[in-house]
Structures are given as C-alpha cells and as structure tokens.
Amino acid sequence: DAGVIQSPRHEVTEMGQEVTLRCKPISGHNSLFWYRQTMMRGLELLIYFNNNVPIDDSGMPEDRFSAKMPNASFSTLKIQPSEPRDSAVYFCASSLRGALNEQFFGPGTRLTVL
Amino acid sequence: KQEVTQIPAALSVPEGENLVLNCSFTDSAIYNLQWFRQDPGKGLTSLLLIQSSQREQTSGRLNASLDKSSGRSTLYIAASQPGDSATYLCAGGGHGGTASKLTFGTGTRLQVTL
C-alpha cells in the first residue's frame, strides 16, 4: 500500500488567495483526519470523517476553512481567503475505524501564506 | 478537557544509552495512549498503542507503559542509536463514542550522538 497520499507537498501563496489541500487515505480505512501543526500550538485536530461523514469539526478555526470528503478515497481541505497566520504544516491521517484506532499519517503539506 | 504534556522538550544522549521519555495527561479516563515518532519534514509514524486495560506494550527496543492513576506514560528506548534521533509525541485518546479523538503532546526532540 502507498500509505496516505497528500498533495501538494509544498504550497506558497499570497494572502487572500484560495488554497486547496488534497488527501487520499489508505484503501479500506473508514476514518480520515485533518491536522495542523505549528511551533506555537503543536498538532491540532481540525476535522475528522467517519465513512465520509464529518463527525467532529470543532477544531476548524473559522469559516474560512472547509473540508469535504466526496468519496472514500478522497478529501480536500480548503482555505478561502488564506491569511499569513494559516501558515503551517497540514497533515492528513486515516485509520481503519475511528479516532482511537492506530492512525497513519501522510507526509504533510507545508503551507506558506505571504 | 484532556491536556497532554511532555517534558523535557529536548534531550541529547550518547549512543548506547538507555533512555526514558515522559508523557503526562490530566484526564485519567483515557481510552488509550499512543506514541508516535516524527522525523524532520515528515509525517508521524505510530510506534506503540496501549489500551486503557493494559499497562505496557513492547516493540523491539521500545517499551511503553501506562499508569492511569498517576496520569503518566513513559517510552523506554534501550541501547539508543543515532537512527533513533527524531521527535517523539504521545497522544491520549479520550472517550466519547464517535466524537473521541487524540490529544497530542508537544513532543520531545531526541538526539542520539555518536
């Protein structure tokens, strides 16, 4: 298995632009997670899906952030409009079922908003 | 609300030493405790997962323990090697059915020197 796949690996954009991050979970995994990692706040859960349905989005910072999972093999995290404080590494992870089973992380997308 | 703390933030040891990394959590009603490794610029790799009913888990040179009553977990690394250099994060899994999620510590950055 190729593991969790994320794209792009690096993204540099200007403030106000729309940013879309993509994730392909491990085949057969029913749960998908989006995390954000910064030096100041560490690793934070933004949102997670079970069977393509958002279960907990309490970590989404504000309405500028949105996430979708149209099918079991694809998810997007969108930021519109982006701001410099959104600069971070965004990780996608998946698990067989639920947040408490072993989670497998992708390599992350390093986002820089100028 | 679960809070997870890891002290020290950084640790340097000579090759061959045995070492212990510490993790503290505030909510003893923990479902499980997971230890991850993160290499620079990479995602997280799951190392060990201890269920609340267990006291320890072992994998090769790694041994993780869980003491719910004291709110502590330790990761023991035997005969450390330079390849063990990485950041180690622990994460507590809380109860809550489908709303359960992991709360991460900020990590201990380990450097094993020659």
Side-chain angles (χ1 to χ4, degrees):
Chain A
D1 198 316
V4 176
I5 299 172
Q6 291 186 248
S7 64
R9 293 294 311 277
H10 301 274
E11 177 81 26
V12 180
T13 191
E14 293 188 346
M15 182 174 62
Q17 296 298 306
E18 177 179 297
V19 175
T20 300
L21 310 181
R22 297 173 176 79
C23 175
K24 176 179 169 55
I26 293 173
S27 177
H29 282 192
N30 292 329
S31 299
L32 181 140
F33 313 86
W34 283 102
Y35 290 91
R36 178 172 67 177
Q37 187 176 42
T38 62
M39 288 293 292
M40 291 296 295
R41 300 175 67 90
L43 196 63
E44 304 172 286
L45 177 67
L46 299 177
I47 185 171
Y48 90 86
F49 296 84
N50 270 352
N51 296 316
N52 313 338
V53 176
I55 299 300
D56 183 353
D57 64 354
S58 59
M60 296 286 264
E62 48 199 273
D63 292 345
R64 297 184 298 105
F65 285 69
S66 63
K68 294 182 179 180
M69 191 164 187
N71 57 62
S73 60
F74 183 67
S75 177
T76 59
L77 177 68
K78 184 178 295 186
I79 308 173
Q80 166 63 16
S82 58
E83 298 182 3
R85 60 193 169 116
D86 301 330
S87 297
V89 181
Y90 291 81
F91 289 104
C92 176
S94 69
S95 75
L96 275 173
R97 187 182 70 226
L100 302 182
N101 284 305
E102 185 179 11
Q103 295 187 22
F104 295 82
F105 281 70
T109 295
R110 181 174 296 277
L111 173 65
T112 302
V113 183
L114 302 174
Chain B
K1 178 185 174 185
Q2 180 73 272
E3 293 183 7
V4 180
T5 305
Q6 293 184 251
I7 296 174
L11 180 65
S12 181
V13 300
E15 181 181 13
E17 265 200 17
N18 303 324
L19 61 102
V20 174
L21 305 180
N22 296 299
C23 173
S24 300
F25 47 91
T26 55
D27 186 358
S28 63
I30 198 167
Y31 185 83
N32 61 28
L33 193 293
Q34 300 184 36
W35 282 93
F36 295 85
R37 167 184 174 140
Q38 184 175 26
D39 292 286
K42 301 288 180 62
L44 280 68
T45 300
S46 177
L47 296 174
L48 291 164
L49 186 157
I50 312 174
Q51 300 292 355
S52 61
S53 58
Q54 299 173 320
R55 292 189 64 84
E56 64 179 321
Q57 281 286 338
T58 298
S59 175
R61 293 183 295 108
L62 305 180
N63 176 277
S65 68
L66 175 63
D67 185 342
K68 291 174 55 179
S69 62
S70 67
R72 293 187 60 189
S73 176
T74 60
L75 179 66
Y76 174 83
I77 302 177
S80 58
Q81 303 171 357
D84 296 329
S85 299
T87 297
Y88 291 80
L89 297 96
C90 67
H95 280 284
T98 53
S100 299
K101 58 187 177 184
L102 294 180
T103 301
F104 282 83
T106 51
T108 294
R109 189 172 65 254
L110 172 66
Q111 183 175 12
V112 181
T113 58
L114 293 170

